Amino acid sequence: MAQDENLRVKSKPSPELTTTSQSMEPPMSKISTMIPTTSWFTPKRLLAIFCVINLLNYLDRGAIASNGVNGSRGTCTEDGTCTSGTGIQGDFNLNNFEDGVLSSAFLVGLLVACPIFASLAKSVNPFRLIGVGLSVWTLATLCCGLSFNFWSISVCRMLVGFGEASFISLAAPFIDDNAPVAQKTAWLAIFYMCIPTGYALGYVYGGLVGSYFGWRYAFWVESVLMLPFAISGFFMNPLQLKGFVSADSEKALAPETVSSEVQGTLRFSRFLNDMKELLLDEVYVVNVLGYIAYNFVIGAYSYWGPKAGYNIYHMTDADLIFGGITIFCGIVGTLAGGFVLDFMTNTLSNAFKLLSVTTFIGAAFCFGAFLFRSMYGFLALFSIGELLVFATQGPVNYVCLRCVKPSLRPLSMALSTVAIHVFGDVPSSPLVGVLQDNINNWRTTALILTAILFPAAGIWFIGIFLRSVDRFNEDNEHQVSTVESSDTMPLLQEMTGETSASPAQSQEC
């Protein structure tokens, strides 16, 4: 309320104008969910753009894991016959541990930058932050193709992660703001469907481009494809997130006598308070703990899957086979998880039920698949397992977004991303590499890895019994500025001028 009073003092409107504007001003929920009928930029198009960007992010991860880009190390037989290596591993002569570290190097930049971008979202327009991040990503992938040794490509991969961080932290809250109320999880599922699909396409893309043109071209083409989206982040009218004061309004509210050092201290204090609130939220913590165990397995699957399949079942086209299975299972499984949760009624308790059941049954099918000696039996069971395991993508991120108030969503997504990578797929790829180096049996390695999905299901099962509250409407109008800068555009309901918010949301302000 104090902020609103300061705004009125600074602008000094006449009583007549104030009365008129107050009587005619629509609720904030309607302002933030309406688009002019002449606008090209609609919620569905925003979703489509974000999906393509997400697809490119994960295509890059799949490409570096493919045999065509990752390659293999040169070998020598006892009689002195040597074969040259291929791809990155062959060119830089990497062992399995170094190769595993390379797959995780980009996550270092991601982990450092995610909290930074989430914190900056409170003082810099989040849409512009996405543009900055995508520009760094574009330049970093270009430099990956120019790398000359293990350390140079490792640094470039770290910068790729740094650039991706802004998008990972902020895209899901934008989608959550603008998705129809009855299809919130379905829209998130469509967005997160791009993770397995991107990985799978990356296997195929990396295998084809790496085999015919060389691994460096795989990175250069990615850079060209992302460039238009990086540019659009600066030239399109920026959007505002629910629960955030616009940057210009925040500056207007800040006393001129307060130094930049004091403002920086206040922002850091606010960041620490937000972190504390998240870490004390048992629903959020349980959700992320289950996600960590889940991501430990999925991260190692995505990197070592083709190589394990090639060695266990002698798949000559392991990239194409794993890529094809993952594309189909990723699309169908992820979409099914989102639509099923919406059909059940998208509550936090129902999300935990779906997470625990699908993960447990999916783990059983994947574990049984690796026990098969026949490649066809393996592919049949593994496909069913992947369908079920991928059904978690929409529900797990729905919980991350809805168990916290809107102003904490970017930090919630950032902290979740940091946690699942630091304790999940960052250590899993090199650790599985070390395990395989020691036991030298890909089947046993795959079974040990798959078994970790069962604890993930158990952790999510605990979440069913926690007291959970959907906090999407918790931030009130005083936390959202009613003074928008001239170049800031609220994202609106496409072509109709009607809000997609629920009646409760419309009455919130």
Side-chain angles (χ1 to χ4, degrees), residues 222-295:
E222 291 171 8
S223 182
V224 172
L225 292 175
M226 185 65 83
L227 183 60
F229 299 102
I231 294 174
S232 67
F234 293 100
F235 289 96
M236 292 178 68
N237 286 338
L239 311 178
Q240 195 66 37
L241 277 177
K242 176 182 172 67
F244 285 85
V245 177
S246 69
D248 288 352
S249 298
E250 188 172 82
K251 289 177 183 177
L253 292 169
E256 296 179 1
T257 55
V258 177
S259 67
S260 59
E261 292 182 3
V262 174
Q263 291 183 29
T265 302
L266 291 174
R267 290 194 185 99
F268 183 68
S269 176
R270 181 172 57 187
F271 172 76
L272 292 180
N273 289 334
D274 290 345
M275 285 287 292
K276 181 180 178 181
E277 184 173 345
L278 284 177
L279 294 176
L280 292 177
D281 188 328
E282 58 184 11
V283 174
Y284 178 78
V285 171
V286 166
N287 186 54
V288 172
L289 287 176
Y291 203 8
I292 288 170
Y294 168 90
N295 213 56

Side-chain angles (χ1 to χ4, degrees), residues 29-354:
S29 60
K30 293 185 178 180
I31 291 178
S32 63
T33 54
M34 294 191 327
I35 265 185
T37 56
T38 57
S39 175
W40 177 89
F41 200 37
T42 64
K44 286 185 178 178
R45 285 174 179 153
L46 174 73
L47 177 64
I49 290 170
F50 280 179
C51 282
V52 174
I53 294 171
N54 208 27
L55 196 70
L56 288 175
N57 281 328
Y58 283 90
L59 180 137
D60 171 73
R61 301 189 195 184
I64 199 172
S66 70
N67 289 331
V69 172
N70 182 45
S72 59
R73 199 175 184 182
T75 59
C76 291
T77 61
E78 293 181 357
D79 61 2
T81 303
C82 295
T83 57
S84 59
T86 60
I88 297 173
Q89 191 173 18
D91 283 3
F92 299 151
N93 194 30
L94 308 179
N95 58 35
N96 282 339
F97 176 74
E98 291 172 326
D99 200 20
V101 168
L102 185 60
S103 75
S104 303
F106 84 99
L107 295 170
V108 175
L110 186 76
L111 305 179
V112 171
C114 265
I116 295 174
F117 280 117
S119 181
L120 285 175
K122 292 195 173 184
S123 56
V124 180
N125 185 277
F127 200 75
R128 291 289 184 246
L129 290 176
I130 290 177
V132 172
L134 295 182
S135 299
V136 174
W137 192 97
T138 302
L139 181 61
T141 50
L142 177 68
C143 292
C144 282
L146 301 172
S147 56
F148 51 88
N149 60 17
F150 170 70
W151 291 107
S152 63
I153 195 171
S154 294
V155 170
C156 291
R157 296 305 298 170
M158 291 179 193
L159 290 175
V160 168
F162 188 94
E164 185 181 333
S166 64
F167 181 76
I168 291 296
S169 303
L170 301 169
F174 273 121
I175 293 171
D176 191 44
D177 274 355
N178 297 283
V181 174
Q183 299 174 6
K184 293 284 187 181
T185 320
W187 278 44
L188 287 173
I190 292 171
F191 176 71
Y192 285 104
M193 173 193 71
C194 297
I195 294 178
T197 306
Y199 258 124
L201 288 175
Y203 291 150
V204 178
Y205 163 80
L208 293 175
V209 175
S211 299
Y212 287 99
F213 302 102
W215 62 268
R216 297 180 187 275
Y217 282 88
F219 295 116
W220 292 336
V221 172
E222 291 171 8
S223 182
V224 172
L225 292 175
M226 185 65 83
L227 183 60
F229 299 102
I231 294 174
S232 67
F234 293 100
F235 289 96
M236 292 178 68
N237 286 338
L239 311 178
Q240 195 66 37
L241 277 177
K242 176 182 172 67
F244 285 85
V245 177
S246 69
D248 288 352
S249 298
E250 188 172 82
K251 289 177 183 177
L253 292 169
E256 296 179 1
T257 55
V258 177
S259 67
S260 59
E261 292 182 3
V262 174
Q263 291 183 29
T265 302
L266 291 174
R267 290 194 185 99
F268 183 68
S269 176
R270 181 172 57 187
F271 172 76
L272 292 180
N273 289 334
D274 290 345
M275 285 287 292
K276 181 180 178 181
E277 184 173 345
L278 284 177
L279 294 176
L280 292 177
D281 188 328
E282 58 184 11
V283 174
Y284 178 78
V285 171
V286 166
N287 186 54
V288 172
L289 287 176
Y291 203 8
I292 288 170
Y294 168 90
N295 213 56
F296 187 96
V297 179
I298 299 301
Y301 268 178
S302 66
Y303 193 75
W304 294 113
K307 194 163 288 188
Y310 176 81
N311 284 276
I312 297 173
Y313 298 103
H314 308 291
M315 297 179 188
T316 55
D317 296 317
D319 284 347
L320 296 176
I321 292 174
F322 267 83
I325 290 175
T326 307
I327 287 175
F328 176 78
C329 296
I331 292 174
V332 176
T334 305
L335 289 178
F339 282 103
V340 168
L341 181 56
D342 284 336
F343 178 78
M344 293 169 62
T345 304
N346 45 25
T347 65
L348 299 181
S349 178
N350 283 342
F352 279 121
K353 291 175 185 176
L354 192 61

Side-chain angles (χ1 to χ4, degrees), residues 312 370 435-436 439 441-450:
I312 297 173
F370 283 108
L435 178 64
Q436 174 59 24
I439 66 176
N441 187 317
W442 276 108
R443 189 186 302 276
T444 303
T445 298
L447 288 170
I448 293 172
L449 176 66
T450 303

